Amino acid sequence: MLKKILILLAESVFCVFFSCKEEVVYSVKVKLDNLEGKEVYAVFEADDMKKIDTLSCLGVNEFTLIERDENFHSLTLYFESPAQWVTAYLEPRRRITVTGDLLYPQLIKVKGGRTNDLLAEFREKASALLKEQTDLMQIIDSPQEGQNSGKYISRLTNIHHELCLLADAFIRKHPDDEASAVLIKEYFSDPETPLVTEVYLNLLNPALEGFHIVRELKGVVEKAKRTMTGAKAPDFAVTNLDGTVFRLDSFAGRYLILAFVSAWSDDCQTKELLLDEVLSPCPDDRVAVLAVTLDEDPQPVRELIRKDSIAWNVVIDSTGEAIELMDRYNVNIIPRCYLMDGKGTILLKTENGIELKQVLEELIHKD
């Protein structure tokens, strides 16, 4: 990764990535308040590649990025904090400007090209809400107010609802524009509710099928639908600590609890899921559990299991099996449990041990 130190020599500084003999395809001029002294990570993205550059802005608040490879579709600038970033959607030989205040990254204006201009128009209309949202989040994150953040949560929820209404109206007004796909990703893309995303994607003109964000969202939706309640659970082949290989059909005829936790030694997670209470009264021929943990060292996990009265099947991540299974089951929250019936159908997806216990007890009672 190249590192360029930007030093203010004139009114602006130009960062040229390639030889000046080649034609400039993309030119992005950035001018932001409160940029001085920040590190900027510039990520040019194409369908199958990324180019990343790091820039240290010493004493400057503006610079220009030039790119001569025409295969890129977007540029995302990251400004040290994960909450501070902005994306510009690229069109060949279309000059782009990025202006605003880094303290309010959601209000940064990206102009140049139809997608950027429409998104700037949307954010201008939503500017009061976006500013209030940022201010409230900063208050919540502050040490002084962090413990009293509850009184701000309801207002943040209302703001999000109002922003969703604005995004909904925009998408319905602009079904032919790529900017609508961007807003679907920002406001209506949640792996936990893929059908909502699908509804909005169906509002778009089919001509947008090739837009990279539409393809990305459709992939997320299809993946999330595979682990919805009522779906046939994705198959797997994993090895527990004893070296036994388990597949989904290894538990045929029994209810299976597939539990994902970050670390087995962090027993607050297994307690939160009430796994001990759930399994203790259940005979092995009725209910099985497969615990998947991000632990990489097997020895401490073996010692903990040896002391427990329950015979746990535990898969750790020493060979990457846990991460692969988490990806297959679309796990983005830990701890999380899936409850499957004896045919491998997903009956429940939850992070709530009480819910897991109640549902399983009802199922066994009905049987």
Side-chain angles (χ1 to χ4, degrees):
M1 181 183 296
L2 300 176
K3 184 167 185 175
K4 298 181 172 25
I5 307 298
L6 304 187
I7 304 175
L8 183 59
L9 299 176
E11 293 183 357
S12 62
V13 178
F14 294 86
C15 303
V16 180
F17 292 115
F18 300 97
S19 168
C20 294
K21 295 180 181 179
E22 301 175 29
E23 179 189 10
V24 173
V25 178
Y26 306 114
S27 174
V28 182
K29 183 176 182 179
V30 181
K31 185 176 182 180
L32 297 170
D33 294 338
N34 296 296
L35 180 62
E36 299 91 338
K38 302 287 186 181
E39 274 206 335
V40 181
Y41 303 91
V43 183
F44 281 93
E45 294 190 60
D47 286 346
D48 56 356
M49 64 177 290
K50 293 182 180 181
K51 270 188 181 178
I52 304 174
D53 203 56
T54 306
L55 307 100
S56 293
C57 301
L58 303 179
V60 301
N61 63 2
E62 62 180 287
F63 56 87
T64 298
L65 299 175
I66 291 175
E67 175 57 55
R68 292 178 165 81
D69 186 335
E70 66 178 356
N71 293 315
F72 294 106
H73 53 57
S74 62
L75 165 67
T76 300
L77 302 173
Y78 297 93
F79 306 96
E80 295 186 358
S81 167
Q84 294 178 318
W85 58 271
V86 63
T87 296
Y89 296 92
L90 304 174
E91 294 180 21
R93 286 159 285 281
R94 174 77 70 170
R95 182 177 175 83
I96 294 173
T97 61
V98 180
T99 58
D101 189 335
L102 199 53
L103 296 179
Y104 293 94
Q106 292 192 80
L107 294 176
I108 293 175
K109 291 182 180 179
V110 181
K111 301 296 289 289
R114 183 167 178 79
T115 301
N116 294 322
D117 290 348
L118 283 173
L119 290 172
E121 177 185 313
F122 170 82
R123 293 191 173 103
E124 179 65 30
K125 187 174 183 179
S127 59
L129 291 170
L130 292 171
K131 183 178 185 303
E132 185 181 1
Q133 183 183 61
T134 301
D135 289 338
L136 287 175
M137 292 179 71
Q138 289 176 346
I139 291 172
I140 291 173
D141 290 339
S142 67
Q144 296 81 9
E145 295 290 342
Q147 295 180 344
N148 303 311
S149 61
K151 60 184 179 181
Y152 304 110
I153 299 299
S154 61
R155 177 55 189 156
L156 275 174
T157 301
N158 289 336
I159 289 173
H160 179 71
H161 177 68
E162 292 178 55
L163 288 169
C164 286
L165 290 176
L166 289 176
D168 176 276
F170 181 98
I171 293 164
R172 293 178 188 277
K173 183 179 178 181
H174 300 280
D176 301 330
D177 288 294
E178 295 175 353
S180 292
V182 176
L183 292 182
I184 292 173
K185 181 177 180 179
E186 290 183 7
Y187 291 101
F188 303 110
S189 177
D190 182 351
E192 303 303 315
T193 57
L195 298 183
V196 173
T197 309
E198 191 170 51
V199 166
Y200 279 97
L201 286 173
N202 288 337
L203 295 175
L204 300 181
N205 189 320
L208 295 177
E209 293 279 343
F211 183 43
H212 69 278
I213 288 182
V214 172
R215 297 199 311 270
E216 174 191 336
L217 289 173
K218 288 195 170 186
V220 170
V221 167
E222 290 308 309
K223 181 178 177 181
K225 285 168 69 174
R226 290 199 294 268
T227 54
M228 290 178 60
T229 301
K232 174 72 174 179
D235 201 1
F236 55 80
V238 292
T239 306
N240 75 353
L241 285 172
D242 296 327
T244 304
V245 176
F246 286 95
R247 295 178 173 81
L248 183 61
D249 60 11
S250 302
F251 306 97
R254 292 182 288 173
Y255 291 108
L256 169 64
I257 299 171
L258 182 59
F260 295 90
V261 297
S262 63
W264 196 254
S265 57
D266 186 5
D267 63 354
C268 67
Q269 293 193 66
T270 53
K271 288 179 180 177
E272 182 180 342
L273 293 172
L274 303 179
L275 292 180
D276 296 77
E277 293 183 33
V278 170
L279 292 171
S280 294
C282 297
D284 292 342
D285 62 347
R286 302 292 304 282
V287 181
V289 64
L290 184 64
V292 182
T293 171
L294 293 178
D295 288 290
E296 295 185 359
D297 186 354
Q299 192 56 37
V301 181
R302 284 196 181 99
E303 292 176 2
L304 288 170
I305 292 174
R306 197 174 293 122
K307 300 174 184 176
D308 205 312
S309 59
I310 296 176
W312 299 102
N313 279 322
V314 178
V315 176
I316 65 171
D317 199 47
S318 59
T319 61
E321 288 188 340
I323 289 293
E324 195 279 333
L325 196 55
M326 288 176 63
D327 179 68
R328 182 168 298 196
Y329 274 79
N330 205 35
V331 175
N332 47 53
I333 298 173
I334 289 180
R336 162 160 288 175
C337 269
Y338 285 90
L339 175 64
M340 279 86 86
D341 67 13
K343 296 180 180 180
T345 300
I346 297 174
L347 303 177
L348 177 68
K349 177 171 65 174
T350 185
E351 298 80 55
N352 188 321
I354 295 176
E355 182 182 25
L356 174 65
K357 187 172 185 290
Q358 290 175 341
V359 170
L360 187 57
E361 286 176 351
E362 291 175 4
L363 289 169
I364 292 177
H365 180 71
K366 287 180 182 179
D367 292 345

